[in-house]
Amino acid sequence: MKNTLKLWSLLLTALTLGAPNWAGADTKPDPDYLPPPDPAPVRHRVFSKDGSGPILPGKLRLTLRSNKGSDGTAKFFPDGCRLVSDNFQIIAGKDGVGRFNGFAQLLSPEGKPLFSGQLRGITGLTAQRGDGEKSRRPGHLEGVFEAFDGPIAVDGSSQSGGGSPLEPPVISPKPGPPTEPPPMPPVFTPRGSLHVSFSADLNTKSASPLPLYRAHLDGVLTLPPPPPPPSGEVTIASDHALYPVGATITAIIENKTRQTIYAFDERSLCTIVQLQKRAGEAWTTQFLCPLLRPALLQEIGLGETRRVALQFSQGAVAPPGTYRLALDYFRTKPLNAPNAKAITIYSIPFRVASEPPTDGSVSITTDKAVYQTTDIIQATVLNESNADIQTADHESFCTILKLMRRTSEGWKMTAPCLLLSPTQRVIIKAGERLSVSLPQAVILIYPPPANFEPGDYRLDLTFVPLDAKGQPDGEYQTASSAPFKVVSGTSPPLASGVRGKVTERLMGGAPPQPGIPPLDIVQPLAGARLILKTGDGKEVGRAVSNQDGSFRISAPPGAYQLFALRPTDGGGLPAPGPQAVRIGLGQVIEINLQFLTPLP
């Protein structure tokens, strides 16, 4: 018997460790072996959280922690995240049976909004029962939390292809040819979606004077697909952001278009590139070509990257200061098209310093020292250290930079991020330079303010160095740009579009007491989806109403129709019909919409 058990043990060991090498071949891994490519990245992650906290009339506060056995979203939503609502309502009869509803936000442990959506369901009943068992469960809440879908393309195209089945049919406008707006390139907001089942029960063992609940949230986080490749363009950049005096400055020109471009070589140092130095508010071209010969036409082919070196002689070097590169190019040969006009593009500014760049620093520079209130601030972050650094977005205008304004109480951050999406980690590699625009053009759901306030500003970047394994190594640090000014100037006309507020009217229901009229409440509706379309059904913009119900969609002049959808499918509840909109040049049309919600 012992021998039999021993034999079985040996067989199990062999099966566990793998079949023996009967041929006596070398069992070391093949260095030339390449594993099969990874499958497509998983876009769905299991969201499983346990929560606890008070639920009061008008308020819900639940602190969440991962359900270790199932949760696959801990890196997106760490322990300490909170589900909060400031308009949470429970509408129930004396028997405790009814429904609940509210706009809820999922916040990070630091209080930053990650997702927002509608929390709704039933109270006093449960579907988690066996056959023939009672469905009544006093004090029990059961429903769903659905966050807003994304990403959304401004031109109406979605990553999933096709329109949403919830969108209303396109209704043609009144007779008359509508003004066709120019095509808008798609701009994506990097968000996913969250669909979660929600249940909560009153914690009867708690000694707190507040009604504390234990909650369970289980569902699916859908991650957004990768963004589309950038559209074709011509770009110019310097190979460094900081040069010592006398060093060669190399311009990198990339032709990402589908055609050959042309440029004359009569510019700085007889190249096709202009080296321009900033002098106050103006830029002046340096080192113009001294050769007394006709300018030669140079070609840059489609998809080509051209490097142009500006090499200085010992007696003529670029003095310290702030510089940029410029390129005048043509899309057709100027000799074949005498009336062709050159297109001028510019690089991000860089600096020439008296001393060579020092290693071990992270710097921020701006393209100007003085801005008008309507200007866009172009900043450059340069990591000159020997290590990669990690930072995060969702700072000012949802970028990685904090826009700090000098006040009587010190420097204060302005323009906080309003996107209700997860904060994204951003890695800046050693020696890498990153360009940042404030405000950035992708913020279309929550438009930035029309202008900056005059005053003194600076840009801050909070970061932490990473070790060789990509893990944080040391304390968080802050780098700051040199202060710059924003001054008053002539403001351009306000961009055209449509704006307004969305409200919800709750009506009806059984009177709480005899003699008291039925409920009739009008309140702001957050999360409503607004879609602006042309007469032929082409989408030109969309927005999601804020917590106060406000929204805004930018659009060029033309004739449109505005559609309004509930935050969720609405369960067949009525929605406002499409609104005809005609937008003139520089005109912003005000439209207020109201959803009617009859109560049982």
Side-chain angles (χ1 to χ4, degrees), residues 191-212:
R191 296 191 297 137
S193 60
L194 190 62
H195 302 270
V196 175
S197 63
F198 169 85
S199 65
D201 289 281
L202 185 64
N203 184 0
T204 57
K205 297 181 180 180
S206 172
S208 172
L210 298 177
L212 297 183

Side-chain angles (χ1 to χ4, degrees), residues 170-173 178 180-181 533-540 559-561:
V170 177
I171 301 177
S172 300
E180 180 68 22
K533 294 185 177 183
T534 60
D536 59 0
K538 181 181 178 182
E539 181 178 323
V540 296
Y560 305 95
Q561 288 194 326

Side-chain angles (χ1 to χ4, degrees), residues 445-512:
I445 292 180
Y446 299 95
N451 52 14
F452 296 106
E453 293 185 17
D456 294 333
Y457 291 83
R458 78 177 189 210
L459 296 172
D460 284 359
L461 174 73
T462 301
F463 65 93
V464 63
L466 301 178
D467 60 19
K469 296 182 179 180
Q471 299 299 317
D473 183 20
E475 301 291 331
Y476 274 86
Q477 306 173 34
T478 299
S480 300
S481 72
F484 53 90
K485 287 186 176 292
V486 173
V487 298
S488 299
T490 303
S491 299
L494 187 65
S496 58
V498 58
R499 67 185 176 192
K501 286 195 173 184
V502 183
T503 57
E504 181 182 34
R505 186 176 184 182
L506 304 173
M507 295 183 61

Side-chain angles (χ1 to χ4, degrees), residues 12-24:
L12 288 173
T13 302
L15 289 173
T16 303
L17 298 178
N21 186 12
W22 301 110

Side-chain angles (χ1 to χ4, degrees), residues 77 80-84 105-115:
F77 311 105
C81 287
R82 292 172 293 143
L83 184 68
V84 303
Q105 288 184 305
L106 184 58
L107 306 179
S108 71
E110 298 78 24
K112 289 186 177 180
L114 303 178
F115 273 98

